[in-house]
Amino acid sequence: MASTLGRTGLGLAGLALLFAVLGPVVATYQPDAIDLGAKLRPPDGEHWLGTDQFGRDQFARLVAGTRRSLLAAFTVLAGSCTVSLVVGVAAGLARGFADAVLMRVVDIVLAIPSLVLALAVVGVLGPGFGNLLLALVISSWAANARIVRAFTLAVRDRPYIAAARLGGAGPARIAVGHVLPAVVPRLLVVATLQLGGSIVSLAGLSFLGLGAQPPTAELGAMLGDARAFVTVAPWLLAAPTTVVLVVTAAATLVGDAVRDATHHSAVEEVHP
């Protein structure tokens, strides 16, 4: 059952990536091209997904929005994981006072709901897609930092790391050469499970107008623009909603499959 769901997730992810990569080749219009004479046209042979209130082709905008949203989600995940690795590995190897200080910082960040923290950061920096990405990184790194610290504590006293210390390796060399190779694969499993949440958070905050600003095409911003026309042009809402659901489902199913595979491998190592 798990492998079937995993294959389904990979299939959905492949479709989303194929749409984002090959869509510009198929699209016959530019995503920001305005044609007021063709505004709010329903789907037809010329505009496959219809047009919006400015006559912009929805298919072209959906392709551009999907590319931007996927790239943004991976950017947030990469930034969050990088900060988590630095803080978690440093805390796990440092011990003592440095470990206590870093973990108290993590506790403070975790005490604030991630959405509230992201809204606060955007409120300080101002709306904008770059500011939104930074806000999501700031609001999402702490939980993974605690996980990375736990992984680091589990490997820091292993014989090969003790041998590296006896051989004269410094903390930086031990962290980069011995701890990170053991910690990163485990963090990637956790991060895969969080990709769907990153996509939803991006879309939700952009829907509120805090992310991509007009005329930039982005899935959440497209959903926000479609609110005023849901009764007269439902296709404006249907297409980006479908893409968000497909991408989120793909990320969740793939993440679950990776987690299950990793868990089974760990069980087999303990009980061969």
Side-chain angles (χ1 to χ4, degrees):
M1 181 65 176
S3 60
T4 301
L5 292 177
R7 286 193 293 269
T8 302
L10 286 174
L12 293 175
L15 286 175
L17 291 174
L18 200 64
F19 178 73
V21 172
L22 298 183
V25 179
V26 181
T28 56
Y29 291 88
Q30 294 299 315
D32 298 331
I34 294 176
D35 181 6
L36 295 178
K39 63 181 181 180
L40 296 180
R41 283 179 56 176
D44 56 28
E46 183 178 359
H47 299 282
W48 299 339
L49 296 178
T51 62
D52 64 8
Q53 67 273 27
F54 297 108
R56 296 175 297 192
D57 183 72
Q58 275 295 96
F59 180 82
R61 289 184 64 76
L62 191 66
V63 170
T66 302
R67 289 164 63 93
R68 183 168 286 106
S69 294
L70 288 177
L71 181 60
F74 283 111
T75 300
V76 169
L77 209 58
S80 175
C81 288
T82 299
V83 177
S84 299
L85 282 171
V86 172
V87 175
V89 171
L93 292 179
R95 311 187 187 191
F97 179 74
D99 181 21
V101 170
L102 289 173
M103 285 301 99
R104 296 300 75 75
V105 173
V106 170
D107 290 340
I108 292 172
V109 176
L110 289 176
I112 306 172
S114 58
L115 182 57
V116 174
L117 181 56
L119 288 171
V121 173
V122 173
V124 172
L125 299 178
F129 203 52
N131 292 342
L132 176 58
L133 299 188
L134 179 59
L136 289 175
V137 170
I138 292 174
S139 64
S140 63
W141 67 270
N144 285 343
R146 185 172 290 280
I147 294 173
V148 170
R149 176 180 177 271
F151 291 156
T152 303
L153 291 175
V155 303
R156 71 179 183 184
D157 293 324
R158 288 184 178 178
Y160 65 90
I161 293 182
R165 289 196 186 96
L166 292 175
R173 183 176 177 183
I174 290 174
V176 174
H178 300 284
V179 176
L180 284 180
V183 170
V184 169
R186 302 181 184 183
L187 178 61
L188 289 179
V189 174
V190 177
T192 304
L193 288 167
Q194 297 172 344
L195 181 59
S198 296
I199 294 169
V200 172
S201 296
L202 279 165
L205 292 174
S206 290
F207 176 83
L208 297 176
L210 302 178
Q213 300 300 302
T216 303
E218 192 273 334
L219 294 177
M222 292 174 67
L223 289 171
D225 292 340
R227 284 178 297 177
F229 306 95
V230 64
T231 56
V232 296
W235 58 87
L236 296 179
L237 189 66
T241 299
T242 300
V243 173
V244 170
L245 290 175
V246 168
V247 172
T248 303
T252 302
L253 292 175
V254 171
D256 287 343
V258 171
R259 179 198 58 195
D260 292 342
T262 305
H263 175 71
H264 291 156
S265 298
V267 171
E268 289 175 0
E269 289 180 3
V270 176
H271 302 290

